[in-house]
Amino acid sequence: MADEPMDMEVLCMQMIVAAGSAKSDYMEALQAAKAGDYETAAAKMRSGDENYAVGHEQHARMVQQEAAGDPVAMTLLLTHVEDQMMSTETIKTMVTELIELYRKVNA
């Protein structure tokens, strides 16, 4: 079943959900750090990374497909996926930096 082709819209929605879940986890990590709960912050960052990995794995398969000569049609939905994936990476980077700042300020 894993090798069966998946409907592109379903795949895109799964990647959007994965990115959205990761963003939520990262923001919850920031709130935990703001409250001084660095253990919860670390757990939420790990959860965010796990959620992001789900979407990233699917995305990597699409890139490999295209690299193998089987083009992926660029749609508005896929463009939205790309935006969500990139913004999630940016949020992770910023949250990581802010957590370190909270650690220093609250030390």
Side-chain angles (χ1 to χ4, degrees):
M1 179 178 269
D3 292 333
E4 292 178 14
M6 185 176 288
D7 181 83
M8 186 60 128
E9 289 179 359
V10 171
L11 186 60
C12 285
M13 293 307 295
Q14 288 174 345
M15 288 187 284
I16 290 167
V17 167
S21 295
K23 274 191 237 182
S24 292
D25 285 335
Y26 295 144
M27 294 308 295
E28 287 176 21
L30 180 58
Q31 293 305 310
K34 187 176 179 180
D37 185 354
Y38 299 107
E39 188 174 315
T40 297
K44 286 294 184 178
M45 291 299 290
R46 284 190 300 275
S47 178
D49 290 346
E50 290 167 9
N51 281 316
Y52 187 79
V54 170
H56 188 268
E57 181 181 317
Q58 294 167 330
H59 186 263
R61 274 191 249 132
M62 291 170 59
V63 171
Q64 290 169 351
Q65 172 187 330
E66 185 143 320
D70 185 8
V72 175
M74 198 64 202
T75 65
L76 182 58
L77 187 58
L78 186 54
T79 302
H80 184 60
V81 168
E82 297 290 332
D83 177 57
Q84 293 305 303
M85 298 291 287
M86 288 186 299
S87 68
T88 300
E89 287 183 42
T90 301
I91 286 171
K92 178 187 177 182
T93 301
M94 297 306 298
V95 166
T96 300
E97 291 297 317
L98 287 168
I99 288 172
E100 287 305 310
L101 183 59
Y102 276 121
R103 282 185 190 277
K104 288 179 182 178
V105 168
N106 295 328

